[in-house]
Amino acid sequence: MLVQRKGRMVVIEGCSVDIDHAVNSLRRLGASRVLVQSPLGLRKIAARVGQILAEKGFDVAFSSSNCWGGCDIAYHEAAAMGADALIHLGHTPFLKKDRTQTIYLECRYAEDGALKSLVPEITETVKGFASVGVGSSVQWLDCLKVVVEELRRVGLKVLTAKPSMHAVETAQVLGCDVSALKTLENSVETYLVVGSVFHALGIALLTSKPCFAADPHTQKVKNLWEMRERILRQRHYNIERFKKCQNVAVLVSVKPGQKKLGLARRINSMLKNYGKNSCILAADEITPSTILENTFEAFVNTACPRLSIEDQSQFSKPVILPAEAMVAMNALSWEEVVDEGLLMYPWGWTGGQAADKFWRPLRMVTT
Ligand code: SF4
């Protein structure tokens, strides 16, 4: 396995890993038993990190469960394993406070070659605009300046901003948090997201401005307009399907960063008041069999919003988002949801008035 030093960082599998930070933090915390958690794509790096920590004298175990984001920290596993601390790879802190002492190792790409070779196509794609808001998944943040500098050199106004929700770094976007871009809505003509289509689709669904995904892995720059329009049509179709269902459930995730029990209770009460048979359904992983095997005809998803967007085609029944449930109950119009960017986490980045449209009917119900 390739391991190099680059300054204070160790480069493992092409990613910078701050092992010194991990070791120093664990020692400062007095931790000896450590659980290493990573998303599936980073398991090789996790293995090497665990090996290095074991060589330093720590008692290391690995989490083999799925891990979908910083929302999905293995606090329960750490407690069950008697771990003093968690090492979490690949994400920035999502929650304001950790339940177990957690050290985050972001694993950003160490080399910008793949992004550099995409810069001519990026420039060609966005050069017709006067201004662009730029965002990135955390993995590409250290390389982003090659794009920003080139776009500025050819005369574009390039803006980046701090996020205001769960992401923490300037220009960082998550699948459910594009606040670093949405805050630029009145200042830019277009958006560019470096990373995957998944990351760029988040902003594409919340704005009518052109959005582009620049993926250094596929070496492609993709205009997301058609995808956005197709998904919004599918979302609307599923709202219509939901309206026809009588027995429904409100899904609540028990994942620490996805659990929205208060919201779920309010939506559940609202659905009952509206005449539906509704109950709350707790889940850790929400899979096609969760949807198929439970006898409800349709679901409201208060967990990761991207489940409804990316996985709806695998679900046999409608799995609509909270704002979509409001549309189904005539408490919001579909046009308001689309035009004001209320589809995902509408309390996160919309101005007070737009967010209030979502919350007002919910505040009026008793749970
Ligand atoms: S998009 Fe979903 S999985 Fe990713 S951080 Fe947000 S809630 Fe978690």
Side-chain angles (χ1 to χ4, degrees):
M1 195 177 292
L2 181 63
V3 177
Q4 297 168 328
R5 274 257 162 203
K6 193 178 178 189
R8 60 177 283 167
M9 297 289 184
V10 170
V11 179
I12 308 172
E13 297 282 322
C15 293
S16 300
V17 184
D18 197 344
I19 287 285
D20 290 352
H21 167 63
V23 171
N24 293 338
S25 300
L26 290 171
R27 287 188 178 143
R28 196 181 59 247
L29 294 169
S32 58
R33 281 205 181 133
V34 180
L35 184 70
V36 177
Q37 184 193 20
S38 62
L40 288 176
L42 299 183
R43 294 286 156 99
K44 282 187 183 169
I45 298 178
R48 184 66 184 118
V49 167
Q51 187 185 355
I52 294 171
L53 293 178
E55 286 164 8
K56 302 272 183 195
F58 296 100
D59 180 357
V60 176
F62 299 91
S63 167
S64 69
S65 303
N66 287 330
C67 170
W68 303 109
C71 59
D72 193 8
I73 305 294
Y75 301 127
H76 283 304
E77 278 183 25
M81 297 294 291
D84 308 312
L86 262 161
I87 299 282
H88 181 91
L89 269 63
H91 304 110
T92 48
F94 187 94
L95 292 166
K96 301 279 177 258
K97 198 166 182 300
D98 287 307
R99 289 182 214 157
T100 300
Q101 305 178 108
T102 304
I103 295 133
Y104 293 83
L105 300 179
E106 295 169 1
C107 305
R108 300 184 186 194
Y109 288 113
E111 300 294 337
D112 60 10
L115 183 53
K116 253 186 189 151
S117 63
L118 197 56
V119 166
E121 192 179 340
I122 292 172
T123 309
E124 190 59 29
T125 303
V126 299
K127 72 179 184 196
F129 298 98
S131 54
V132 57
V134 174
S136 167
S137 62
V138 69
Q139 271 70 39
W140 288 106
L141 280 177
D142 285 352
C143 307
L144 205 55
K145 64 176 182 300
V146 302
V147 174
V148 171
E149 284 172 2
E150 179 59 14
L151 293 181
R152 284 187 178 144
R153 195 189 65 77
V154 299
L156 268 84
K157 183 169 102 175
V158 183
L159 296 182
T160 56
K162 280 197 166 298
S164 56
M165 245 182 113
H166 296 299
V168 293
E169 301 285 353
T170 295
Q172 183 193 0
V173 298
L174 306 175
C176 59
D177 181 2
V178 292
S179 54
L181 294 172
K182 199 64 182 147
T183 192
L184 302 171
E185 185 77 3
N186 297 325
S187 311
V188 296
E189 292 181 1
T190 185
Y191 293 107
L192 173 79
V193 176
V194 173
S196 62
V197 166
F198 172 82
H199 286 97
L201 186 59
I203 183 66
L205 290 170
L206 300 180
T207 182
S208 56
K209 293 178 193 283
C211 296
F212 300 93
D215 186 340
H217 292 308
T218 61
Q219 288 291 293
K220 289 205 168 87
V221 182
K222 188 174 169 68
N223 183 337
L224 296 183
W225 184 258
E226 273 182 29
M227 185 181 279
R228 162 201 150 92
E229 291 296 295
R230 176 170 46 78
I231 288 171
L232 289 177
R233 279 196 301 276
Q234 287 167 351
R235 301 312 312 155
H236 188 255
Y237 169 67
N238 280 291
I239 295 170
E240 293 302 316
R241 287 173 75 201
F242 183 93
K243 282 183 185 172
K244 294 178 190 141
C245 300
Q246 183 58 30
N247 298 312
V248 301
V250 182
L251 289 161
V252 179
S253 173
V254 295
K255 292 187 186 302
Q258 294 187 21
K259 185 175 159 195
K260 306 245 170 333
L261 185 54
L263 172 64
R265 285 197 170 125
R266 285 183 185 277
I267 292 174
N268 188 42
S269 294
M270 237 181 120
L271 286 165
K272 286 180 181 168
N273 293 347
Y274 196 72
K276 305 270 188 201
N277 300 327
S278 178
C279 73
I280 289 182
L281 196 62
D284 184 0
E285 297 282 309
I286 297 168
T287 64
S289 56
T290 314
I291 301 304
L292 181 67
E293 300 293 336
N294 282 291
T295 54
F296 306 97
E297 299 165 80
F299 301 81
V300 179
N301 166 29
T302 66
C304 170
R306 300 303 294 262
L307 280 168
S308 293
I309 291 160
E310 263 74 24
D311 295 356
Q312 179 66 68
S313 61
Q314 298 171 47
F315 295 147
S316 51
K317 303 165 190 171
V319 182
I320 65 172
L321 293 166
E324 295 171 334
M326 309 292 276
V327 175
M329 292 184 281
N330 296 317
L332 272 177
S333 73
W334 178 238
E335 289 71 28
E336 282 173 315
V337 170
V338 173
D339 296 345
E340 299 185 33
L342 300 177
L343 189 67
M344 290 192 304
Y345 286 5
W347 52 90
W349 40 68
T350 54
Q353 272 189 341
D356 201 47
K357 283 187 184 171
F358 173 80
W359 282 116
R360 205 180 311 127
L362 287 165
R363 281 196 206 104
M364 285 159 62
V365 294
T366 45
T367 57

